[in-house]
Amino acid sequence: MIDTNNILQVLKTHFGYDSFRPNQERIITEILGGKDVLAVMPTGGGKSLCFQLPALMMPGMAVVISPLIALMKDQVDALRANGIEAAYYNSVQSPDEQSLVLSGLREQRLKLLYVAPESLPQLIPLLTGVTINLVAVDEAHCISAWGHDFRPAYTRLGNLKEILPETPVVGFTATADQATREDILHQLNIPEASQHIASFDRKNLYLDVRPGNNRIRQILDFLRARQEESGIIYCLSRKGTEKLATKLQQNGYEARAYHAGMSPEKRTSVQEDFIHDRVSIVVATIAFGMGIDKSNVRWVIHYNMPKNIEGYYQEIGRSGRDGLPAHTLLFYSFADVVQLRKFMDDSPTREFQLAKLERMQQFAEALSCRRIALLNYFGEHLSENCGNCDICKNPPQYFDGTVLTQKVCSAVARLKEEEALGMVADVLRGAQNAAVFEKGYNRVKTYGTVKDISWRDLQQYIIQMINQGILEVRFHENGRLALTPLAKAILFEGKKVQLATLVQPVKETARSREKEAPDDALFGKLRKLRSAIAQEENVPAYIVFSDATLKDME
Ligand code: ADP
Ligand code: MG
């Protein structure tokens, strides 16, 4: 039996910390008690310690599955610096290095062995006779095609539980919505695992979203006031990172590109230079950052829109890990959405990814507190506006939308929470189409109760309700809308709702302004947007610019 009373002592002597971070102690105690665990904790929350510390306290060795070689190396170096016997096993090691690991195994010296999922089949036969006290799966969302970083080799991890039925299997991730969490439990074969979901609120991150025109100029303006600070700019393409890095260098910044097309040596050197403050800006694809432990990243810019909210959250989460204020800036442009859709063309999970992309787009177009919208996505409900996002700082005009929201919520309820946004809007507007009649929805009580609002407007209002956490999109179930506890408070407890007034559609705005100022560059952009909208269905008909944003764009 392991004495859990001295885990604080172990924390001090082996890791040099005086106290636990939120959730760590409970997770560690459960692991020591032999339980399977799934922990979802934000980046920088201290997940590694949750498996490293129990590994030290139990006889035998822990196997840690880790997706990236750089990540393994960092952790093993840090453990060794603390005098802990740790090693990693992967395909880029020389035979000499590998045999060193194997002798460590044979002599039962190792406390932690890190391994890439791809190398696991080779490793397993070598483990015969070694006591395995724990299997830890880091970045566990990689196992789920529903997560945002799917790694096929992760799906083999399910049989670890069969091989080692008595050994606790524990999964750690910083991003997983409800459905992804369930999928992880299922795939790891640990249906009874206890789940620990830490708060996702990173209060020190300022959330900022701006239209993506003239991005380079906007970035140069942004950087001018931040000469000494470290930051990351995420781009969609490898070429994009190189072009932008060059542009920044030409403007006198210590910027470097980073992407998966570069040699491992080059990548490591950029990463090291960044971590040790020799380079202040890294312009990277999403290949950069998983597991990077740099506490003083002061800002993150998304030059292009990420493909889903999990990715966005994880990337902005790399800033401000020291708890000090950090600025996150997302550029939103419709061209990016089109590009991202193209990338998804032949993916087997295309529909699902499209739905997530749409949700990302809705977040970018939010007209209410960004943090509420962001946290809602992860199933966490904030009761007050955050005051630390662009919308809170510069709110649009609101009206009392309680009655409209009640109508929408009761339609969702009467459709038994089985329908997606389009059908809900159709029913409310009293649409006369075949799908409505086939399902008999023309007979439900809310049919035709919102005839006075155009379809497009109603769609925009419903998106606001999603962003405010009143309705929830169930991605894994054809995007059906469901009611949240907040919806119930609005329906039954008289809770009020503020909705943002929709200003004129872009079409109108652009046309009327064109007359006044035909050569204005800003309205050239609006014209482009308008034609993009005309070409593409399913596009938000309204792009709402607040006055301050308009000023920003000029
Ligand atoms: P995550 O994997 O959740 O992103 P890490 O495990 O990399 O986070 O931990 C982030 C940082 O926090 C590391 O530098 C780690 O040493 C530090 N850390 C972890 N636990 C504690 C603690 N209890 N007290 C102080 N620092 C801690
Ligand atoms: Mg980690």
Side-chain angles (χ1 to χ4, degrees):
M1 196 58 207
I2 290 137
D3 179 10
T4 50
N5 292 323
N6 67 0
I7 62 174
L8 203 60
Q9 190 56 46
V10 178
L11 179 72
K12 268 187 203 160
T13 48
H14 289 276
F15 297 92
Y17 301 133
D18 290 325
S19 58
F20 284 106
R21 293 237 177 104
N23 285 325
Q24 283 181 330
E25 191 168 7
R26 274 193 300 143
I27 292 170
I28 290 168
T29 311
E30 286 202 350
I31 294 176
L32 290 172
K35 275 202 186 146
D36 299 329
V37 169
L38 173 64
V40 186
M41 288 159 75
T43 308
K47 291 184 283 297
S48 326
L49 190 97
C50 296
F51 55 81
Q52 291 169 346
L53 195 151
L56 293 187
M57 295 187 66
M58 297 192 278
M61 175 192 86
V63 174
V64 182
I65 315 294
S66 175
L68 295 178
I69 290 166
L71 234 166
M72 290 181 204
K73 189 178 172 309
D74 284 354
Q75 294 210 8
V76 168
D77 288 349
L79 285 165
R80 286 190 181 152
N82 283 336
I84 298 165
E85 288 273 4
Y88 55 85
Y89 181 87
N90 61 46
S91 54
V92 302
Q93 271 171 318
S94 67
D96 278 357
E97 284 175 306
Q98 288 199 345
S99 62
L100 212 67
V101 173
L102 296 184
S103 62
L105 274 179
R106 266 194 302 275
E107 292 156 26
Q108 311 249 6
R109 267 190 288 113
L110 289 178
K111 290 312 290 178
L112 291 116
L113 179 62
Y114 283 72
V115 56
E118 289 81 2
S119 306
L120 201 59
Q122 278 162 274
L123 180 70
I124 285 176
L126 309 173
L127 294 177
T128 346
V130 180
T131 313
I132 310 287
N133 57 32
L134 177 65
V135 173
V137 181
D138 205 4
E139 312 289 350
H141 59 278
C142 296
I143 203 172
S144 174
W146 291 350
H148 68 103
D149 260 333
F150 179 53
R151 268 281 277 276
Y154 260 72
T155 56
R156 296 200 204 114
L157 303 180
N159 59 25
L160 282 170
K161 194 71 196 173
E162 284 160 29
I163 303 171
L164 302 162
E166 304 301 323
T167 308
V169 171
V170 298
F172 292 87
T173 173
T175 54
D177 59 16
Q178 173 76 29
T180 308
R181 292 200 288 270
E182 281 164 21
D183 198 27
I184 294 173
L185 296 184
H186 173 72
Q187 304 243 19
L188 285 178
N189 249 318
I190 49 169
E192 306 293 319
S194 77
Q195 296 194 45
H196 297 263
I197 321 288
S199 170
F200 272 58
D201 193 4
R202 300 272 311 275
K203 291 185 176 53
N204 58 322
L205 305 189
Y206 181 74
L207 307 177
D208 194 0
V209 183
R210 297 183 198 168
N213 56 301
N214 258 327
R215 278 173 254 203
I216 302 225
R217 212 190 56 207
Q218 292 199 60
I219 289 174
L220 291 174
D221 288 346
F222 179 91
L223 293 179
R224 205 157 296 132
R226 295 176 167 82
Q227 299 285 347
E228 301 296 316
E229 297 178 0
S230 290
I232 306 170
I233 305 179
Y234 282 104
C235 298
L236 201 54
S237 70
R238 296 174 181 182
K239 228 198 221 135
T241 65
E242 285 172 1
K243 266 167 59 184
L244 184 55
T246 308
K247 189 92 198 163
L248 294 177
Q249 285 158 10
Q250 287 162 356
N251 281 273
Y253 290 96
E254 273 297 329
R256 295 279 185 282
Y258 182 106
H259 56 72
M262 289 162 37
S263 70
E265 298 77 37
K266 186 87 191 100
R267 288 168 67 176
T268 309
S269 99
V270 172
Q271 182 172 326
E272 295 281 307
D273 283 349
F274 183 63
I275 287 176
H276 297 108
D277 293 324
R278 294 189 289 266
V279 154
S280 56
I281 301 171
V282 175
V283 188
T285 60
I286 53 171
F288 184 73
M290 201 195 265
I292 282 186
D293 184 13
K294 180 172 170 64
S295 62
N296 64 341
V297 178
R298 286 275 68 80
W299 52 264
V300 167
I301 294 177
H302 280 95
Y303 188 87
N304 301 105
M305 194 173 82
K307 58 181 190 285
N308 54 47
I309 293 184
E310 284 99 329
Y312 168 72
Y313 178 84
Q314 197 157 50
E315 283 141 24
I316 62 171
R318 298 198 175 115
S319 64
R321 287 171 73 156
D322 52 11
L324 298 172
H327 194 120
T328 75
L329 172 56
L330 163 69
F331 287 117
Y332 170 61
S333 93
F334 185 67
D336 288 351
V337 177
V338 174
Q339 191 64 35
L340 286 164
R341 281 193 200 166
K342 276 199 197 122
F343 284 161
M344 290 169 192
D345 266 355
D346 46 33
S347 159
T349 54
R350 181 165 190 274
E351 286 310 308
F352 181 68
Q353 293 191 31
L354 281 175
K356 287 202 161 187
L357 172 61
E358 191 172 307
R359 192 70 193 79
M360 180 69 221
Q361 200 183 339
Q362 291 169 355
F363 167 81
E365 291 169 4
L367 297 167
S368 52
C369 173
R370 302 256 185 225
R371 199 170 308 268
I372 289 184
L374 182 63
L375 293 179
N376 270 326
Y377 183 83
F378 294 107
E380 196 175 330
H381 304 288
L382 283 189
S383 52
E384 269 171 51
N385 290 345
C386 74
N388 196 28
C389 70
D390 60 320
I391 304 268
C392 285
K393 285 265 152 69
N394 179 28
Q397 268 202 352
Y398 292 108
F399 66 96
D400 182 348
T402 310
V403 173
L404 177 60
T405 306
Q406 285 169 338
K407 283 183 183 170
V408 172
C409 290
S410 68
V412 169
R414 285 184 192 277
L415 301 181
K416 303 198 178 63
E417 303 185 322
E418 280 168 3
E419 297 296 343
L421 192 159
M423 179 59 91
V424 172
D426 275 352
V427 170
L428 284 160
R429 299 230 333 115
Q432 313 253 344
N433 63 40
V436 169
F437 290 127
E438 266 161 32
K439 294 193 165 179
Y441 288 160
N442 52 321
R443 293 191 299 274
V444 303
K445 211 173 161 195
T446 41
Y447 181 74
T449 47
V450 187
K451 281 191 165 142
D452 52 329
I453 297 178
S454 76
W455 202 94
R456 292 286 194 190
D457 281 2
L458 182 56
Q459 180 194 30
Q460 290 303 306
Y461 289 129
I462 297 177
I463 290 171
Q464 290 192 41
M465 293 168 205
I466 296 168
N467 274 325
Q468 291 193 33
I470 298 164
L471 299 172
E472 191 180 280
V473 183
R474 296 283 170 87
F475 295 105
H476 311 279
E477 297 153 89
N478 299 320
R480 69 184 178 91
L481 291 182
L483 302 176
T484 69
L486 183 55
K488 286 164 194 158
I490 292 158
L491 279 172
F492 307 118
E493 291 154 30
K495 189 166 172 60
K496 295 250 179 277
V497 184
Q498 298 284 308
L499 292 175
T501 313
L502 299 175
V503 300
Q504 289 175 327
V506 172
K507 269 187 197 168
E508 305 307 323
T509 316
R511 193 174 298 138
S512 54
R513 295 282 193 106
E514 259 168 48
K515 278 187 211 140
E516 291 160 29
D519 298 326
D520 193 313
L522 163 63
F523 293 103
K525 303 279 177 203
L526 286 175
R527 270 199 297 277
K528 274 202 201 130
L529 264 176
R530 190 185 63 188
S531 57
I533 287 167
Q535 278 165 23
E536 184 77 28
E537 262 188 65
N538 287 332
V539 171
Y542 299 92
I543 307 225
V544 183
F545 297 110
S546 63
D547 284 342
T549 317
L550 281 170
K551 235 167 89 196
D552 244 15
M553 289 168 67
E554 280 160 20

